Amino acid sequence: MPPKLKFQEGEKVLCYHGLLIYEAKCMKTQSAKDKDKGPKFFIHYNGWNKNWDEWVPEERVLKFSEVNLQKQKELIQQHRKEVKEKKGKRKLEGGVGRGSKREVEGLPRRKRGRLGASMAALHSRTDINVTIPEELKLCLLQDMNLVVQQKQLVKLPSPRPVEKLLDQYLDRCGDKEKKGTVQEVALGLIEYFNVLLPTQLLCESERAQFEELRARNTEKPMSTIYGAEHFLRLFGTWTHVLSLVPVFLLLPVFSISTAFFPRQHLTCY
């Protein structure tokens, strides 16, 4: 008789996703197949789209208790503090975070909070269309050919990473009334790029490079390492993602153009 699992199907639990803990539900269970591999649990994160459902090992799942809820709260507070410190540093350096007082916790007030809260809006999915110039479409095709067919890798760290790309775009935004909204979208794009990169924006041949970079840069977000090649994929080859993420409802304030993605920064293979 197999041993009883720590968590049962249908049980309300807490689960680690990245550095934070989220409320979730155990949908399925899988007993350990051998001594080296423990049991796994199929998790649905409350308020998230089902596309985020995943199998996780037992060590990522916690009992839904007052003690663990307090631990969840402490991690969120710690995360907000770290984001606030980074934003303060960026403001001093004249980066994306300068300007609005509403940005002190890493995201605009009406959008801040843990990622799970942002994902609650996914229940009301909105289909949108992002127009990409023909020249950038050709860049996407070239990207696919180089990575998928020729098995080449983008040279990383990028000399013009995503955060620098957005900083420079903001510097060219002359409309002061629109600039506040553009800053909000920029912060959201950075947040979601970091979340979606490992699961949505990489080809199989790029995963080893990603894991190596992540191991060497544990304190850096990937938006400070990856550049225009992978950022463009967010708008092109993975357009189905756009309708899942609330921040992309504000994309019309951006001009997805060759000025936004200079061609010399899209050939770094």
Side-chain angles (χ1 to χ4, degrees), residues 23-177:
E23 294 182 12
K25 183 178 181 180
C26 178
M27 308 299 291
K28 302 176 185 178
T29 62
Q30 184 182 91
S31 300
K33 294 184 178 181
D34 54 55
K35 294 181 179 179
D36 296 328
K37 296 183 179 180
K40 293 184 177 181
F41 303 90
F42 193 70
I43 295 297
H44 170 72
Y45 299 96
N46 295 349
W48 293 37
N49 187 280
K50 66 179 181 180
N51 291 336
W52 293 86
D53 293 1
E54 61 178 344
W55 286 100
V56 302
E58 186 177 89
E59 55 265 26
R60 279 181 54 186
V61 189
L62 302 171
K63 286 291 184 180
F64 194 90
S65 66
E66 289 298 324
V67 173
N68 290 329
L69 285 171
Q70 180 61 32
K71 186 174 184 180
Q72 176 195 42
K73 183 178 179 181
E74 291 172 356
L75 286 175
I76 292 174
Q77 291 174 343
Q78 180 181 349
H79 175 70
R80 287 179 174 174
K81 181 180 178 181
E82 291 173 354
V83 170
K84 183 177 180 180
E85 291 173 350
K86 289 180 180 179
K87 291 305 300 174
K89 181 179 179 181
R90 186 178 298 167
K91 181 183 289 187
L92 291 174
E93 295 174 350
V96 174
R98 64 172 179 255
S100 174
K101 293 181 179 179
R102 298 188 321 182
E103 297 169 5
V104 294
E105 291 189 11
L107 285 177
R109 184 169 299 168
R110 65 175 178 272
K111 296 181 184 297
R112 71 175 183 235
R114 62 186 187 179
L115 185 58
S118 299
M119 291 300 171
L122 298 183
H123 289 296
S124 55
R125 175 171 174 166
T126 303
D127 292 326
I128 61 176
N129 180 37
V130 177
T131 302
I132 300 177
E134 290 300 320
E135 185 175 355
L136 292 183
K137 290 181 181 178
L138 291 176
C139 290
L140 284 169
L141 291 174
Q142 181 189 43
D143 179 39
M144 181 180 295
N145 176 59
L146 289 170
V147 176
V148 178
Q149 301 298 328
Q150 300 184 35
K151 305 298 182 183
Q152 295 190 37
L153 297 175
V154 178
K155 295 178 182 178
L156 298 171
S158 171
R160 194 169 185 242
V162 172
E163 291 195 16
K164 184 176 180 180
L165 185 82
L166 291 171
D167 280 345
Q168 293 177 347
Y169 183 84
L170 284 171
D171 289 339
R172 294 196 299 269
C173 182
D175 189 335
K176 293 183 179 180
E177 293 184 0

